[in-house]
Every structure is written in C-alpha cells, then in structure tokens.
Amino acid sequence: EAGVTQFPSHSVIEKGQTVTLRCDPISGHDNLYWYRRVMGKEIKFLLHFVKESKQDESGMPNNRFLAERTGGTYSTLKVQPAELEDSGVYFCASSQAVFEGYTFGSGTRLTVV
Amino acid sequence: KNQVEQSPQSLIILEGKNCTLQCNYTVSPFSNLRWYKQDTGRGPVSLTIMTFSENTKSNGRYTATLDADTKQSSLHITASQLSDSASYICVVTHSLGGSQGNLIFGKGTKLSVKP
C-alpha cells in the first residue's frame, strides 16, 4: 500500500511569507496527526484529526498555524506569516485507530530565512 | 514533568559489532513504549512497541527491553550493519485516553555504523 505522502519535501521561505504543507495519509486511515521537530529538540505533537474533525490541537504553537482536513482525506498545514522559529521538520502520520501503530511520512523540512 | 531521556546522544560502532541504546522516562501514568528508527530524510519507522507487562520484544536483530519499575528501556542491536546507521527514537505513551498528544518523544540516539 502507498505510505503517507508529504510535500514539498523541502521549503525555504522568507520571514513573513506564507507556506502550506500537505499530507496525504494512507487511504482509509481516519486518524491524521501533525508533528514537528525543531533543530536539536525532540519531535512534538501539533494536532490530531479524526476524519475532518480536529480531535486535539493542543500542540499548535500559535494562531499563525492553521490546519485543515477537508473531506477527511488529505490535510494541509498553513503557516502565515512564517517566523524564523518555525523552521524545522514537519511530520505527518496516519493510523486506522488511535493508539494503533501508525505510519509517518518523510517530513517537510521548512527553513525560514 | 513527563520526559523521555535517551543516551548516548550519538554512537559510532564498527560493522558487525553489537550496541545498546538507553531510554529513561518519567512519564506517568504509562501506556506503552515504542522504539522508532529514523533514516536521514525519512520519517520514523516503528521497530517495537511494548506495554508495561512486557519485558522484552524482538524484531530481527533488534531487541527491546523494558523495566516498568525503574522506567528504563533499552534497544540492543546485534551484528550491526551499515544500514543500521540512523537515529533511534524512544517514544512513551502517556495513558490519558483519546488523543495522540500524549506521545512523549525522546531526542533520539544517532547511530553511525562504520565499515
């Protein structure tokens, strides 16, 4: 089966610009998660979708981040306006059931300059 | 504070040698512990998952142990191969129901296997 797909794989933008990251989960996986790893830090949770609904968005750092999952399929994570501290690797994961083994995408490396 | 600490931060070994990576956690209450392998430029891939009642679990040349009393886990790699070069991440699930926000990640151990 196809895995979790993320794009772009890399993005370099200037401070103040907008960037949209996309995640295509494994087909049939209702649960979709966004995580972020900032340089030198551990991976941290951002938010969790169950189908198109936000189950938990407690990890979203601030209101510059907006995640959507229209129709319960792919998801987008928009950062607007981007700040330097937003640089990092953004991972998406999906699972069929919560707390079941889930599959990570390869991540999007975002660099804000 | 719920934390996962891994050691060493990095490790270099020769091909064919064994190695052991450590994970200590302070997460409570605890649901399960997972070890992930993350190759450069790729997402983490699950190696093992253990609940509090499991002491050891193997996946090929990878063997994970868990001591829920001392809150320690280890990942032992036998007869290392060049392809084992990666970051190994310990992830502990905080047993609050419902949300995946309860996953606590360690920073990982970066393993380099040299020929």
Side-chain angles (χ1 to χ4, degrees):
Chain A
E1 64 180 1
V4 176
T5 306
Q6 291 186 246
F7 52 94
S9 57
H10 293 82
S11 180
V12 181
I13 62 171
E14 292 185 350
K15 176 182 173 182
Q17 289 186 321
T18 298
V19 62
T20 301
L21 315 181
R22 172 166 169 153
C23 169
D24 286 69
I26 291 173
S27 178
H29 281 190
D30 287 341
N31 294 277
L32 185 150
Y33 321 90
W34 283 98
Y35 292 87
R36 177 175 73 169
R37 182 169 193 164
V38 172
M39 178 80 75
K41 301 286 188 181
E42 64 274 21
I43 295 173
K44 286 192 174 177
F45 169 81
L46 294 177
L47 88 160
H48 170 207
F49 283 101
V50 177
K51 296 185 180 178
E52 68 274 9
S53 299
K54 291 176 185 174
Q55 176 76 10
D56 181 352
E57 52 184 331
S58 60
M60 295 287 263
N62 52 61
N63 59 10
R64 295 185 294 103
F65 289 75
L66 176 63
E68 295 180 322
R69 192 182 181 195
T70 306
T73 54
Y74 71 90
S75 175
T76 58
L77 180 65
K78 180 190 287 188
V79 185
Q80 179 182 28
E83 298 289 344
L84 298 179
E85 64 264 24
D86 300 334
S87 296
V89 181
Y90 290 77
F91 291 103
C92 174
S94 73
S95 69
Q96 205 153 30
V98 178
F99 288 127
E100 293 295 318
Y102 44 89
T103 303
F104 280 88
S106 294
T108 294
R109 181 173 292 278
L110 174 64
T111 302
V112 182
V113 298
Chain B
K1 186 178 177 183
N2 292 312
Q3 285 185 313
V4 176
E5 301 286 344
Q6 292 188 244
S7 61
Q9 280 190 330
S10 62
L11 181 62
I12 300 174
I13 62 173
L14 293 177
E15 185 179 13
K17 297 295 186 183
N18 303 337
C19 68
T20 300
L21 314 180
Q22 300 291 341
C23 173
N24 295 340
Y25 60 93
T26 59
V27 180
S28 181
F30 158 89
S31 177
N32 58 55
L33 184 146
R34 312 169 196 234
W35 282 94
Y36 281 89
K37 178 186 179 187
Q38 184 179 7
D39 291 308
T40 301
R42 307 302 298 268
V45 174
S46 180
L47 294 175
T48 64
I49 176 170
M50 290 185 292
T51 63
F52 68 91
S53 61
E54 296 175 291
N55 299 122
T56 184
K57 184 166 280 191
S58 292
N59 178 0
R61 294 180 296 102
Y62 300 102
T63 299
T65 65
L66 174 65
D67 185 334
D69 291 331
T70 61
K71 298 185 177 179
Q72 296 180 322
S73 175
S74 66
L75 181 69
H76 186 74
I77 304 174
T78 304
S80 61
Q81 300 176 358
L82 299 179
S83 59
D84 292 332
S85 295
S87 286
Y88 291 84
I89 305 172
C90 177
V91 184
V92 178
T93 303
H94 195 196
S95 58
L96 295 176
S99 173
Q100 287 295 312
N102 304 321
L103 290 178
I104 314 295
F105 287 75
K107 291 184 179 180
T109 292
K110 186 173 175 62
L111 175 66
S112 297
V113 181
K114 303 294 187 184

